Amino acid sequence: MTKYDARLRDLLVLFLFCVTPLANDAWADWPSWRGIDDHGSRSDGNYPAVLDESTMRWSAPLPGKGCSTPILFGQNLYLTAPVDGKDSILSIDTSGAQRWSTSFATEVSGKHRNGSGCNASPVTDGQGVFAYFKSGTLAAVELDGTERWTMNLVERFGPDQRFWDHGTSPVLTQNHVVIARMHAGDSWVAAFDKVSGELAWKVARNYKVPKECDQCYTTPLVIRHSDREAILVWGAEHVTIHDVSDGKELWSCGRFNPDANMLWPAIATPVIVDDVAVVCFGRNDRGTPQLHGIRLDGSGDVTETNHVWFRDDISSFVPSPAVYEGRVYLLRDKGEVECLDPATGETIWSDRLPKNRADYYASPLIAGGKLYAAREDGVVFVVDISNDRLEMLSEKDFGEPVIGSPIPGDDCLYIRGEDHLFCFATAGKAN
């Protein structure tokens, strides 16, 4: 782990302990869709190599189609799904029993076959759970499911003009829940008080770009910039960094599409290693991939100075990269896996999962040296990556689509399918 990653992770863990002194070990928690450090990985723990009846501890039926990733905090899972046609947050404990569900406005269904009204993943600070839905509902609930506050951002700020289903998840700073809307209309980033729901700030984020390049489905990142908390946003051909107190733009980097290609929405969320952001762009699904390495130091417009490296032979369109032991891993849309040096962008090794017509929409999880990759048709692969290649450990067909990303628990694995939430653990591991 780099010094930058360690400092950020230590600060986040310290914050979790401060706000939840009675919570269980924070290292077992997974409070946002890519984990406590937004890397989609965990190095410690003993996770199942085989997903079958011998390692499945339970499966819990879900009330409706949702494509979001669950989160885990203090022995309880939180996820979004429609309940009786309404946007809802559910809590399921680590034995598979549902604790509660809290419903809000009427669900707005997804357009895409792999979309739903519950694409965005919830997030928690250990005191409340926050979630956003396609209907425009932004909601905060207490850990027991009691509604703290709710509002509708579509009614408040106008309709969402993204062509496909929303995917941007809310993120948390120390005081605010932050959400970005980047689409063909008025684009913005906004922060709301976590306790009251009051609007703290809202800043415009509009760029003139080719058709559909303003359509963005990425999730912001909470980072340290100039030794203070900040928000990084990727979309509309720009990476920007904003002050958490007022949304003021502190830093920006453009020139991601000098040839003015059309129909390039931003979907994969960047990862950061050693102050370098690895940014997926282009259309890996159509043979025009782009991958950028951007240095995050400096201030103001750094477009001319902070492009560190660039590749046009590999990228990912939908799945977000993962970081493990200082390396970046791409699970590309057709199952190719690329391991990169984030400082140079050079490939360390590459391999691929078995060929199939189905694509990968879920982002990969790396836990304990194993990579978990879920294909859209419900086939999930477990591969060992410790020897700089893919060594197949197991393959399981869940019989239902898997679009949400796998997450780790206390030596166990949670996988959210379209109809069920599954828990797997190493043989002999108690619930």
Side-chain angles (χ1 to χ4, degrees):
M1 179 179 289
T2 67
K3 291 181 179 179
Y4 177 89
D5 298 325
R7 184 170 69 250
L8 177 57
R9 185 168 184 171
D10 288 346
L11 287 169
L12 288 169
V13 172
L14 176 62
F15 173 66
L16 287 173
F17 274 121
C18 288
V19 298
T20 56
L22 299 179
N24 73 329
D25 185 4
W27 295 108
D29 295 328
W30 196 261
S32 62
W33 80 287
R34 296 304 277 158
I36 202 166
D37 52 9
D38 295 311
H39 280 176
S41 67
R42 176 171 289 160
S43 58
D44 58 329
N46 181 22
Y47 301 97
V50 176
L51 307 182
D52 62 13
E53 294 303 316
S54 71
T55 59
M56 189 170 79
R57 293 298 171 259
W58 50 262
S59 67
L62 298 175
K65 181 181 179 180
C67 300
S68 59
T69 296
I71 59 173
L72 173 68
F73 191 88
Q75 301 294 319
N76 294 301
L77 294 136
Y78 303 92
L79 68 158
T80 57
V83 176
D84 296 328
K86 292 187 175 182
D87 297 331
S88 303
I89 302 174
L90 287 71
S91 177
I92 296 173
D93 68 26
T94 52
S95 71
Q98 181 170 313
R99 299 171 60 231
W100 52 260
S101 68
T102 302
S103 297
F104 309 101
T106 300
E107 177 200 17
V108 175
S109 299
K111 295 181 181 178
H112 193 274
R113 69 180 184 278
N114 292 328
S116 71
C118 302
N119 277 12
S121 300
V123 63
T124 182
D125 59 1
Q127 293 187 321
V129 179
F130 304 82
Y132 183 66
F133 302 88
K134 185 177 180 178
S135 64
T137 296
L138 177 64
V141 300
E142 309 297 342
L143 296 187
D144 64 0
T146 303
E147 184 178 310
R148 181 184 294 180
W149 52 260
T150 184
M151 69 184 72
N152 191 293
L153 301 188
V154 168
E155 295 174 357
R156 189 166 182 176
F157 300 129
D160 190 324
Q161 310 259 11
R162 279 173 282 206
F163 185 76
W164 293 108
D165 306 304
H166 79 293
T168 300
S169 299
V171 298
L172 301 178
T173 66
Q174 185 172 356
N175 298 315
H176 302 134
V177 52
V178 177
I179 193 159
R181 180 193 289 174
M182 296 173 284
H183 60 168
D186 176 35
S187 296
W188 45 261
V189 183
F192 303 86
D193 185 275
K194 289 194 293 187
V195 176
S196 67
E198 292 182 2
L199 178 66
W201 52 261
K202 177 174 174 283
V203 295
R205 197 181 182 284
N206 297 303
Y207 294 98
K208 187 176 181 180
V209 296
K211 182 180 179 181
E212 205 177 339
C213 293
D214 49 11
Q215 304 274 303
C216 306
Y217 306 85
T218 62
T219 293
L221 299 174
V222 181
I223 67 169
R224 302 292 295 181
H225 180 71
S226 299
D227 205 30
R228 58 179 172 174
E229 191 180 39
I231 298 288
L232 181 145
V233 181
W234 157 240
E237 301 181 8
H238 287 77
V239 178
T240 55
I241 297 177
H242 302 261
D243 190 307
V244 297
S245 64
D246 57 10
K248 178 182 177 182
E249 184 181 290
L250 304 172
W251 180 103
S252 67
C253 185
R255 206 182 66 210
F256 286 86
N257 185 14
D259 296 330
N261 291 285
M262 296 191 297
L263 311 180
W264 280 13
I267 299 178
T269 295
V271 290
I272 299 172
V273 187
D274 265 351
D275 217 21
V276 171
V278 177
V279 181
C280 296
F281 196 37
R283 292 297 298 259
N284 182 68
D285 64 328
R286 297 183 180 179
T288 54
Q290 286 196 5
L291 193 66
H292 300 258
I294 308 297
R295 197 173 65 249
L296 297 180
D297 60 358
S299 61
D301 188 344
V302 300
T303 300
E304 299 304 318
T305 59
N306 283 36
H307 282 263
V308 180
W309 53 262
F310 167 72
R311 295 184 63 168
D312 61 3
D313 59 330
I314 59 168
S315 189
S316 171
F317 184 49
V318 177
S320 297
V323 178
Y324 186 71
E325 295 184 346
R327 297 175 173 183
V328 171
Y329 291 81
L330 298 183
L331 172 61
R332 302 176 64 190
D333 303 79
K334 286 296 184 182
E336 308 94 333
V337 176
E338 201 92 14
C339 175
L340 305 171
D341 180 344
T344 64
E346 295 178 357
T347 294
I348 299 171
W349 62 267
S350 63
D351 206 336
R352 69 163 301 133
L353 295 166
K355 290 185 178 181
N356 191 274
R357 295 176 60 186
D359 291 331
Y360 291 78
Y361 282 78
S363 298
L365 167 70
I366 302 176
K370 303 177 186 71
L371 185 147
Y372 297 88
R375 207 168 60 199
E376 64 170 322
D377 60 355
V379 174
V380 177
F381 298 97
V382 186
V383 291
D384 190 317
I385 59 171
S386 60
N387 295 315
D388 286 356
R389 64 180 185 272
L390 300 183
E391 296 183 10
M392 186 67 67
L393 299 175
S394 69
E395 172 184 342
K396 178 175 174 57
D397 187 344
F398 280 76
E400 59 189 81
V402 177
I403 308 302
S405 302
I407 70 165
D410 181 12
D411 288 345
C412 63
L413 182 77
Y414 299 101
I415 295 177
R416 191 251 178 88
E418 186 171 296
D419 302 315
H420 298 85
L421 179 65
F422 300 89
C423 175
F424 293 85
T426 51
K429 172 70 181 178
N431 287 336

